Amino acid sequence: MARPRQERAEITRQAILDGAAIAFDRHGFGGTSLGDVVRNAGVTKGALYFHFPSKEALARTLIEEQFRVAEGISATVGSGVGGGLQTVIDLTHRMTHGLLTNPRIRAGIRLIIEFGSFTDPDASPYDVWIDTLRTYLTPAQQAGDILPSLSVPNLSTFLVGSFTGIQVTSHVRTAREDLHSRVIDLWNLLLPGIVPAHRIAHFDPAGSPACRTELGLAAGAPAAAPATAD
């Protein structure tokens, strides 16, 4: 009997998270009430409080949901498609796909921006992403895919900030319809400045073939290497 109860409890918990994600995505933290969450989830307030003691606890859980995008992705040491740098490129497209298709990720990103700005800022979600990128980019630099003169921590920080700005701008201008294209622009502009010239052709700004297939994206042309050799 314990197992069916546990399964029902988990189903209820997931319904609450889905209901909260819809509300936070539409109205933000300040504009969302627990009544909104209950209505969206189709549960009672008692059920909500059983799983989450407060609106902030719900928000923190949704903020953590975004990090699942990176779960199960291993950074392969070495150059070429599938290496650590291509993993990071793919990760930006996976996050883009999540923003377009997953209300939980959209809600988590909106909450991060709200919690990380102006009043009582919280930098921890940004720090998690920066550390995640470092784990992929460090072996990429050791393999010769990133210029040795560059600081991997600084590059990771720059990428997280750049993606954040790009997705916010895309959200405001096109409801993120052009976000994959803007991410491709980011990598086309960035790769010549961080990758040795003779290795640039190994990396696809539009995502690796496996990533594009998984996400249903159109094929893209790899960045062209500069005329001058490294």
Side-chain angles (χ1 to χ4, degrees), residues 9-84:
E10 182 58 22
I11 290 170
T12 300
R13 183 178 183 276
Q14 296 303 320
I16 293 168
L17 287 172
D18 286 337
I22 292 169
F24 287 137
D25 180 34
R26 289 176 180 169
H27 308 298
F29 184 80
T32 293
S33 69
L34 290 179
D36 296 329
V37 176
V38 165
R39 283 191 295 275
N40 289 339
V43 301
T44 65
K45 271 199 175 180
L48 187 153
Y49 281 119
F50 176 80
H51 291 279
F52 300 97
S54 65
K55 186 170 73 167
E56 183 172 11
L58 263 173
R60 294 293 176 185
T61 301
L62 285 170
I63 284 173
E64 293 172 3
E65 284 272 320
Q66 69 186 284
F67 302 119
R68 293 190 177 186
V69 172
E71 286 182 358
I73 300 175
S74 62
T76 304
V77 177
S79 63
V81 173

Coordinates of all heavy atoms in Angstrom, one line a residue, residues 9-84:
A9 N 1.5 10.6 -4.3 CA 2.1 11.8 -3.7 C 3.0 12.5 -4.7 O 3.0 13.7 -4.9 CB 2.8 11.5 -2.4
E10 N 3.7 11.6 -5.5 CA 4.7 12.2 -6.5 C 3.9 12.8 -7.6 O 4.3 13.9 -8.2 CB 5.6 11.1 -7.0 CG 6.7 11.6 -8.0 CD 7.6 12.7 -7.5 OE1 7.7 12.9 -6.2 OE2 8.1 13.4 -8.3
I11 N 2.8 12.2 -8.0 CA 2.0 12.7 -9.1 C 1.4 14.1 -8.7 O 1.4 15.1 -9.5 CB 0.8 11.8 -9.5 CG1 1.4 10.5 -10.2 CG2 -0.2 12.5 -10.3 CD1 0.4 9.4 -10.4
T12 N 1.0 14.2 -7.4 CA 0.5 15.5 -6.9 C 1.6 16.5 -6.9 O 1.4 17.7 -7.3 CB -0.1 15.3 -5.5 OG1 -1.2 14.3 -5.6 CG2 -0.6 16.6 -4.9
R13 N 2.8 16.1 -6.4 CA 3.9 17.0 -6.4 C 4.2 17.6 -7.7 O 4.5 18.8 -7.9 CB 5.1 16.4 -5.8 CG 6.3 17.3 -5.6 CD 7.5 16.5 -4.9 NE 8.6 17.4 -4.7 CZ 9.6 17.6 -5.6 NH1 9.5 17.1 -6.8 NH2 10.6 18.5 -5.3
Q14 N 4.3 16.7 -8.7 CA 4.6 17.1 -10.1 C 3.5 18.1 -10.6 O 3.8 19.0 -11.4 CB 4.8 15.9 -11.0 CG 6.0 15.0 -10.7 CD 7.3 15.8 -10.7 OE1 7.5 16.7 -11.5 NE2 8.1 15.5 -9.7
A15 N 2.2 17.8 -10.3 CA 1.1 18.6 -10.8 C 1.3 20.0 -10.1 O 1.0 21.1 -10.8 CB -0.2 18.0 -10.4
I16 N 1.7 20.1 -8.9 CA 1.9 21.4 -8.2 C 3.0 22.2 -8.9 O 2.9 23.4 -9.2 CB 2.2 21.2 -6.7 CG1 1.0 20.6 -6.0 CG2 2.6 22.5 -6.1 CD1 1.2 20.1 -4.6
L17 N 4.1 21.5 -9.2 CA 5.2 22.1 -9.9 C 4.8 22.6 -11.3 O 5.2 23.8 -11.7 CB 6.4 21.2 -10.0 CG 7.2 20.9 -8.7 CD1 8.2 19.8 -8.9 CD2 7.8 22.2 -8.2
D18 N 4.0 21.9 -12.0 CA 3.5 22.3 -13.3 C 2.6 23.5 -13.2 O 2.7 24.5 -13.9 CB 2.8 21.2 -14.0 CG 3.7 20.1 -14.5 OD1 4.9 20.4 -14.8 OD2 3.2 18.9 -14.7
G19 N 1.7 23.5 -12.2 CA 0.8 24.6 -12.0 C 1.6 25.9 -11.5 O 1.3 27.0 -12.0
A20 N 2.6 25.7 -10.7 CA 3.4 26.8 -10.3 C 4.2 27.4 -11.5 O 4.4 28.6 -11.6 CB 4.4 26.4 -9.2
A21 N 4.7 26.5 -12.3 CA 5.5 26.9 -13.5 C 4.7 27.8 -14.4 O 5.1 28.9 -14.9 CB 6.1 25.7 -14.2
I22 N 3.4 27.4 -14.6 CA 2.6 28.2 -15.5 C 2.3 29.6 -14.9 O 2.4 30.6 -15.6 CB 1.2 27.5 -15.7 CG1 1.4 26.2 -16.5 CG2 0.2 28.4 -16.4 CD1 0.2 25.3 -16.6
A23 N 2.1 29.6 -13.6 CA 1.8 30.9 -12.9 C 3.0 31.8 -12.9 O 3.0 33.0 -13.2 CB 1.3 30.6 -11.5
F24 N 4.2 31.2 -12.5 CA 5.4 32.0 -12.4 C 5.8 32.5 -13.8 O 6.3 33.6 -14.0 CB 6.5 31.2 -11.8 CG 6.4 31.1 -10.3 CD1 6.7 29.8 -9.7 CD2 6.0 32.1 -9.5 CE1 6.5 29.6 -8.4 CE2 5.9 31.9 -8.1 CZ 6.1 30.7 -7.5
D25 N 5.7 31.7 -14.8 CA 6.1 32.0 -16.2 C 5.2 33.2 -16.7 O 5.7 34.1 -17.3 CB 5.9 30.8 -17.1 CG 6.3 31.1 -18.6 OD1 7.2 31.9 -18.8 OD2 5.7 30.6 -19.5
R26 N 4.0 33.2 -16.3 CA 3.1 34.3 -16.8 C 3.2 35.6 -16.0 O 3.1 36.7 -16.5 CB 1.6 33.8 -16.7 CG 1.3 32.7 -17.8 CD -0.2 32.2 -17.6 NE -0.5 31.2 -18.6 CZ -1.6 30.5 -18.5 NH1 -2.5 30.6 -17.5 NH2 -1.9 29.5 -19.4
H27 N 3.3 35.4 -14.7 CA 3.1 36.5 -13.8 C 4.3 36.9 -12.9 O 4.3 37.9 -12.2 CB 1.9 36.3 -12.9 CG 0.6 35.9 -13.6 ND1 0.0 36.8 -14.5 CD2 -0.1 34.8 -13.6 CE1 -1.1 36.2 -15.0 NE2 -1.2 35.0 -14.4
G28 N 5.3 36.0 -12.9 CA 6.5 36.3 -12.1 C 6.2 35.9 -10.6 O 5.1 35.5 -10.3
F29 N 7.2 36.1 -9.8 CA 7.1 35.7 -8.4 C 6.1 36.6 -7.7 O 5.2 36.1 -7.0 CB 8.5 35.7 -7.7 CG 8.4 35.3 -6.3 CD1 8.4 33.9 -6.0 CD2 8.4 36.2 -5.2 CE1 8.4 33.4 -4.7 CE2 8.4 35.7 -3.9 CZ 8.4 34.3 -3.6
G30 N 6.3 37.9 -7.8 CA 5.4 38.8 -7.1 C 4.0 38.8 -7.5 O 3.0 39.0 -6.7
G31 N 3.7 38.5 -8.8 CA 2.4 38.5 -9.3 C 1.6 37.1 -9.2 O 0.5 37.0 -9.6
T32 N 2.3 36.2 -8.6 CA 1.7 34.8 -8.4 C 1.3 34.6 -7.0 O 2.0 34.9 -6.0 CB 2.7 33.7 -8.8 OG1 2.9 33.8 -10.2 CG2 2.1 32.3 -8.5
S33 N 0.1 34.1 -6.8 CA -0.4 33.7 -5.4 C -0.5 32.2 -5.4 O -0.5 31.5 -6.4 CB -1.8 34.3 -5.2 OG -2.8 33.7 -6.0
L34 N -0.5 31.7 -4.1 CA -0.6 30.2 -4.0 C -2.0 29.8 -4.5 O -2.1 28.6 -4.9 CB -0.4 29.8 -2.5 CG 1.0 30.0 -2.0 CD1 1.1 29.6 -0.5 CD2 2.0 29.1 -2.8
G35 N -3.0 30.7 -4.4 CA -4.3 30.4 -5.0 C -4.2 30.1 -6.5 O -4.8 29.2 -7.1
D36 N -3.3 30.9 -7.2 CA -3.1 30.7 -8.6 C -2.5 29.3 -8.9 O -2.9 28.5 -9.8 CB -2.1 31.7 -9.2 CG -2.6 33.1 -9.1 OD1 -3.9 33.3 -9.2 OD2 -1.8 34.0 -9.0
V37 N -1.5 28.9 -8.0 CA -0.9 27.6 -8.2 C -1.9 26.5 -8.0 O -2.0 25.5 -8.7 CB 0.3 27.5 -7.2 CG1 0.9 26.1 -7.2 CG2 1.3 28.5 -7.4
V38 N -2.7 26.6 -6.9 CA -3.7 25.6 -6.6 C -4.7 25.4 -7.8 O -5.0 24.3 -8.2 CB -4.5 25.9 -5.3 CG1 -5.7 25.1 -5.2 CG2 -3.5 25.8 -4.1
R39 N -5.2 26.5 -8.3 CA -6.1 26.5 -9.5 C -5.4 25.8 -10.7 O -6.1 25.0 -11.3 CB -6.6 27.9 -9.8 CG -7.7 28.4 -8.9 CD -8.3 29.6 -9.4 NE -7.4 30.7 -9.5 CZ -7.1 31.6 -8.5 NH1 -7.6 31.4 -7.4 NH2 -6.2 32.6 -8.7
N40 N -4.2 26.2 -11.0 CA -3.6 25.6 -12.2 C -3.3 24.1 -12.0 O -3.4 23.3 -12.9 CB -2.2 26.3 -12.4 CG -2.4 27.7 -12.9 OD1 -3.5 28.1 -13.5 ND2 -1.4 28.5 -12.8
A41 N -2.9 23.7 -10.7 CA -2.6 22.3 -10.5 C -3.8 21.4 -10.2 O -3.6 20.2 -10.4 CB -1.6 22.3 -9.2
G42 N -4.9 22.0 -9.9 CA -6.1 21.2 -9.6 C -5.9 20.4 -8.3 O -6.4 19.2 -8.2
V43 N -5.3 21.0 -7.3 CA -5.1 20.3 -6.0 C -5.7 21.3 -4.9 O -6.0 22.4 -5.2 CB -3.6 20.0 -5.7 CG1 -3.1 19.1 -6.8 CG2 -2.8 21.3 -5.6
T44 N -5.7 20.7 -3.7 CA -6.1 21.6 -2.6 C -4.9 22.3 -2.0 O -3.8 21.9 -2.2 CB -6.7 20.7 -1.5 OG1 -5.7 19.8 -0.9 CG2 -7.9 19.9 -2.0
K45 N -5.2 23.3 -1.2 CA -4.1 24.1 -0.5 C -3.4 23.2 0.5 O -2.2 23.3 0.7 CB -4.6 25.3 0.2 CG -4.6 26.5 -0.7 CD -4.7 27.8 0.1 CE -4.6 29.0 -0.9 NZ -4.7 30.3 -0.1
G46 N -4.2 22.2 1.1 CA -3.5 21.3 2.0 C -2.5 20.4 1.3 O -1.4 20.2 1.9
A47 N -2.8 20.0 0.1 CA -1.9 19.2 -0.6 C -0.6 20.0 -1.0 O 0.5 19.5 -1.0 CB -2.5 18.6 -1.9
L48 N -0.9 21.2 -1.4 CA 0.3 22.1 -1.7 C 1.2 22.3 -0.5 O 2.4 22.1 -0.6 CB -0.2 23.5 -2.2 CG 0.8 24.4 -2.8 CD1 0.2 25.4 -3.8 CD2 1.5 25.3 -1.7
Y49 N 0.6 22.6 0.6 CA 1.5 22.8 1.8 C 2.1 21.5 2.3 O 3.2 21.6 3.0 CB 0.6 23.4 2.9 CG 0.4 24.9 2.8 CD1 -0.9 25.4 2.6 CD2 1.4 25.8 2.7 CE1 -1.1 26.8 2.5 CE2 1.2 27.2 2.6 CZ -0.1 27.6 2.4 OH -0.3 29.0 2.3
F50 N 1.5 20.4 2.0 CA 2.2 19.1 2.4 C 3.5 19.0 1.7 O 4.5 18.4 2.2 CB 1.3 17.9 2.0 CG 1.9 16.6 2.3 CD1 1.9 16.0 3.5 CD2 2.4 15.9 1.2 CE1 2.5 14.8 3.8 CE2 3.0 14.6 1.4 CZ 3.0 14.1 2.7
H51 N 3.6 19.4 0.4 CA 4.8 19.3 -0.4 C 5.7 20.5 -0.3 O 6.9 20.3 -0.4 CB 4.4 19.0 -1.8 CG 3.8 17.6 -2.0 ND1 4.5 16.5 -2.1 CD2 2.5 17.3 -2.2 CE1 3.7 15.4 -2.3 NE2 2.5 15.9 -2.4
F52 N 5.1 21.7 -0.2 CA 5.9 22.9 -0.3 C 5.4 23.9 0.8 O 4.3 24.3 0.8 CB 5.8 23.6 -1.7 CG 6.3 22.7 -2.8 CD1 5.4 22.0 -3.5 CD2 7.6 22.6 -3.1 CE1 5.8 21.1 -4.6 CE2 8.1 21.8 -4.1 CZ 7.2 21.1 -4.9
P53 N 6.3 24.2 1.7 CA 5.8 25.1 2.9 C 5.5 26.5 2.5 O 4.9 27.2 3.3 CB 7.0 25.0 3.9 CG 8.2 24.7 3.0 CD 7.7 23.8 1.9
S54 N 6.0 27.0 1.3 CA 5.9 28.4 1.0 C 6.0 28.6 -0.5 O 6.4 27.7 -1.3 CB 6.9 29.2 1.7 OG 8.2 28.9 1.2
K55 N 5.6 29.8 -1.0 CA 5.8 30.1 -2.4 C 7.3 30.2 -2.7 O 7.6 29.8 -3.9 CB 5.1 31.5 -2.6 CG 5.1 31.9 -4.1 CD 4.2 33.1 -4.4 CE 4.8 34.4 -3.9 NZ 4.2 35.6 -4.4
E56 N 8.1 30.6 -1.8 CA 9.5 30.7 -2.1 C 10.1 29.3 -2.3 O 11.0 29.1 -3.1 CB 10.3 31.4 -1.0 CG 11.8 31.5 -1.3 CD 12.5 32.4 -0.3 OE1 11.9 32.7 0.7 OE2 13.7 32.7 -0.5
A57 N 9.6 28.3 -1.5 CA 10.1 26.9 -1.7 C 9.7 26.4 -3.1 O 10.5 25.7 -3.7 CB 9.5 26.0 -0.6
L58 N 8.5 26.7 -3.5 CA 8.2 26.3 -4.9 C 9.1 27.0 -5.9 O 9.5 26.3 -6.8 CB 6.7 26.8 -5.1 CG 5.6 25.8 -5.0 CD1 4.3 26.5 -5.1 CD2 5.7 24.7 -6.0
A59 N 9.3 28.2 -5.7 CA 10.2 29.0 -6.7 C 11.6 28.4 -6.7 O 12.2 28.2 -7.8 CB 10.2 30.4 -6.3
R60 N 12.1 28.1 -5.5 CA 13.5 27.5 -5.5 C 13.6 26.2 -6.2 O 14.6 25.8 -6.8 CB 14.0 27.4 -4.0 CG 14.1 28.7 -3.3 CD 15.3 29.5 -3.8 NE 15.3 30.8 -3.2 CZ 16.2 31.8 -3.6 NH1 17.0 31.6 -4.6 NH2 16.2 33.0 -3.0
T61 N 12.5 25.4 -6.0 CA 12.5 24.1 -6.7 C 12.5 24.2 -8.2 O 13.2 23.5 -8.9 CB 11.3 23.3 -6.2 OG1 11.4 23.1 -4.8 CG2 11.3 21.9 -6.9
L62 N 11.7 25.2 -8.7 CA 11.6 25.4 -10.1 C 13.0 26.0 -10.7 O 13.4 25.7 -11.8 CB 10.5 26.3 -10.5 CG 9.1 25.7 -10.4 CD1 8.0 26.7 -10.5 CD2 9.0 24.6 -11.5
I63 N 13.6 26.8 -9.9 CA 14.9 27.3 -10.3 C 15.9 26.2 -10.5 O 16.7 26.2 -11.5 CB 15.4 28.3 -9.3 CG1 14.7 29.7 -9.4 CG2 16.9 28.6 -9.4 CD1 15.0 30.7 -8.3
E64 N 15.8 25.2 -9.6 CA 16.8 24.1 -9.8 C 16.4 23.1 -10.9 O 17.3 22.4 -11.4 CB 16.7 23.2 -8.5 CG 17.3 24.0 -7.3 CD 17.1 23.3 -6.0 OE1 16.6 22.1 -6.0 OE2 17.5 23.8 -4.9
E65 N 15.2 23.2 -11.4 CA 14.8 22.3 -12.5 C 15.6 22.6 -13.8 O 15.9 21.6 -14.5 CB 13.3 22.6 -12.9 CG 12.3 22.0 -11.9 CD 11.9 20.6 -12.3 OE1 11.8 20.3 -13.4 OE2 11.9 19.7 -11.3
Q66 N 16.0 23.8 -14.0 CA 16.8 24.1 -15.2 C 18.1 23.3 -15.4 O 18.5 23.0 -16.5 CB 17.0 25.6 -15.3 CG 18.1 26.0 -14.3 CD 18.3 27.5 -14.3 OE1 18.9 28.0 -15.1 NE2 17.7 28.1 -13.3
F67 N 18.7 23.0 -14.2 CA 20.0 22.3 -14.2 C 19.9 20.9 -14.8 O 20.9 20.3 -15.1 CB 20.6 22.4 -12.9 CG 20.8 23.8 -12.3 CD1 20.2 24.2 -11.2 CD2 21.6 24.7 -13.0 CE1 20.3 25.5 -10.7 CE2 21.7 26.0 -12.6 CZ 21.1 26.4 -11.4
R68 N 18.6 20.4 -14.9 CA 18.5 19.1 -15.4 C 18.8 19.0 -16.9 O 19.0 17.9 -17.5 CB 17.0 18.6 -15.2 CG 16.6 18.4 -13.8 CD 15.3 17.7 -13.7 NE 15.0 17.4 -12.3 CZ 13.9 16.7 -11.9 NH1 13.1 16.2 -12.8 NH2 13.7 16.5 -10.6
V69 N 18.8 20.2 -17.5 CA 19.2 20.2 -19.0 C 20.6 19.6 -19.1 O 20.9 19.0 -20.2 CB 19.2 21.7 -19.5 CG1 19.8 21.8 -20.9 CG2 17.7 22.2 -19.5
A70 N 21.5 19.8 -18.1 CA 22.9 19.4 -18.2 C 23.1 17.9 -17.7 O 24.2 17.4 -17.8 CB 23.8 20.3 -17.5
E71 N 22.0 17.4 -17.1 CA 22.2 16.0 -16.6 C 22.4 15.0 -17.7 O 21.8 15.0 -18.7 CB 20.9 15.6 -15.8 CG 20.8 16.3 -14.4 CD 19.6 15.9 -13.7 OE1 18.8 15.1 -14.2 OE2 19.4 16.4 -12.5
G72 N 23.3 14.1 -17.4 CA 23.6 13.0 -18.3 C 24.4 13.4 -19.5 O 24.7 12.5 -20.4
I73 N 24.9 14.6 -19.6 CA 25.8 15.0 -20.6 C 27.2 15.0 -20.2 O 27.6 15.6 -19.2 CB 25.5 16.5 -21.1 CG1 24.0 16.6 -21.6 CG2 26.4 16.9 -22.2 CD1 23.6 18.0 -21.9
S74 N 28.0 14.2 -20.9 CA 29.4 14.1 -20.5 C 30.3 14.9 -21.5 O 30.0 14.9 -22.7 CB 29.9 12.6 -20.5 OG 29.8 12.1 -21.8
A75 N 31.3 15.5 -20.9 CA 32.2 16.3 -21.8 C 33.4 15.4 -22.2 O 34.2 14.9 -21.4 CB 32.8 17.5 -21.0
T76 N 33.4 15.1 -23.5 CA 34.4 14.2 -24.1 C 35.7 15.0 -24.3 O 35.7 16.1 -24.9 CB 34.0 13.6 -25.4 OG1 32.7 12.9 -25.2 CG2 35.0 12.7 -25.9
V77 N 36.8 14.5 -23.7 CA 38.1 15.2 -23.9 C 38.5 15.0 -25.3 O 38.5 13.9 -25.8 CB 39.1 14.7 -22.9 CG1 40.4 15.4 -23.1 CG2 38.6 15.0 -21.4
G78 N 39.0 16.0 -25.9 CA 39.5 15.9 -27.3 C 38.8 16.9 -28.2 O 37.8 17.6 -27.9
S79 N 39.3 17.0 -29.4 CA 38.8 18.0 -30.4 C 37.7 17.3 -31.2 O 37.5 16.1 -31.2 CB 39.9 18.5 -31.3 OG 40.5 17.4 -32.0
G80 N 37.1 18.2 -32.0 CA 36.1 17.7 -32.9 C 34.7 17.7 -32.3 O 34.5 17.9 -31.1
V81 N 33.7 17.4 -33.1 CA 32.3 17.4 -32.7 C 32.2 16.3 -31.6 O 32.6 15.2 -31.7 CB 31.3 17.1 -33.8 CG1 29.9 16.9 -33.3 CG2 31.4 18.2 -34.8
G82 N 31.6 16.7 -30.5 CA 31.5 15.8 -29.3 C 32.4 16.1 -28.2 O 32.3 15.6 -27.1
G83 N 33.4 17.0 -28.5 CA 34.4 17.4 -27.5 C 33.7 18.4 -26.5 O 32.6 18.8 -26.6
G84 N 34.5 18.8 -25.5 CA 34.0 19.7 -24.5 C 33.4 21.0 -25.0 O 32.3 21.4 -24.5

